Amino acid sequence: MPVFNLAQLLGIEVFWRDNMHDAGSWHPDQNAISLRTDLTEIEIRSVLAHEIGHAVLGHECDGSRAEREADEWAANMLLSAPMVANCAKRWPDSPEKWCDELQVTPDILRAWMAQPDNYARASQRLAA
């Protein structure tokens, strides 16, 4: 499901802002997400999924744990073991190509790979 559709289904307003320091921001008091206007399509997809993760997980503030959890949520929403395994088969030595193919930022791919269950499922698909 495209991330903008998911935001809409969840009743989250998405708006664009110039001159933001961060790529995106979750505003729980407004049930809204702001995105920086200069993002690429891949960044929009990944950042919006990350910010929706904050909303779904009920995060009220920042912190390293909340950021990791939002990255993991976004990664699990955007990626699957078959998708990652297919990229690994096609480009075993070029993970940067995986991001282009999967349409995610390196942070989201790393968050997906860092989860042992995800890595194990992808590895099993590679062995098959």
Side-chain angles (χ1 to χ4, degrees):
M1 166 181 296
V3 288
F4 280 99
N5 292 357
L6 179 57
Q8 185 177 20
L9 282 172
L10 295 171
I12 298 171
E13 180 184 358
V14 178
F15 60 96
W16 301 92
R17 294 185 61 187
D18 292 323
N19 303 320
M20 285 180 55
H21 173 70
D22 293 326
S25 184
W26 163 236
H27 308 279
D29 54 326
Q30 301 169 2
N31 199 39
I33 292 170
S34 58
L35 297 174
R36 204 172 60 218
T37 56
D38 65 345
L39 301 177
T40 66
E41 289 296 318
I42 289 174
E43 290 169 331
I44 292 167
R45 184 171 184 261
S46 296
V47 171
L48 184 53
H50 170 94
E51 299 305 334
I52 292 171
H54 283 305
V56 169
L57 296 169
H59 293 159
E60 296 286 328
C61 60
D62 294 351
S64 58
R65 180 178 177 188
E67 293 304 311
R68 179 184 47 77
E69 289 174 351
D71 272 349
E72 289 174 355
W73 189 92
N76 290 328
M77 188 194 79
L78 297 173
L79 301 173
S80 68
M83 293 165 66
V84 175
N86 184 46
C87 285
K89 284 179 184 176
R90 291 174 67 191
W91 303 290
D93 298 321
S94 301
E96 65 279 357
K97 289 185 180 180
W98 304 7
C99 290
D100 289 338
E101 179 76 14
L102 297 166
Q103 297 288 291
V104 296
T105 60
D107 287 344
I108 296 299
L109 180 59
R110 278 191 292 273
W112 194 89
M113 295 294 290
Q115 297 173 69
D117 290 343
N118 288 346
Y119 187 81
R121 285 195 310 271
S123 295
Q124 290 170 352
R125 297 218 31 121
L126 280 172

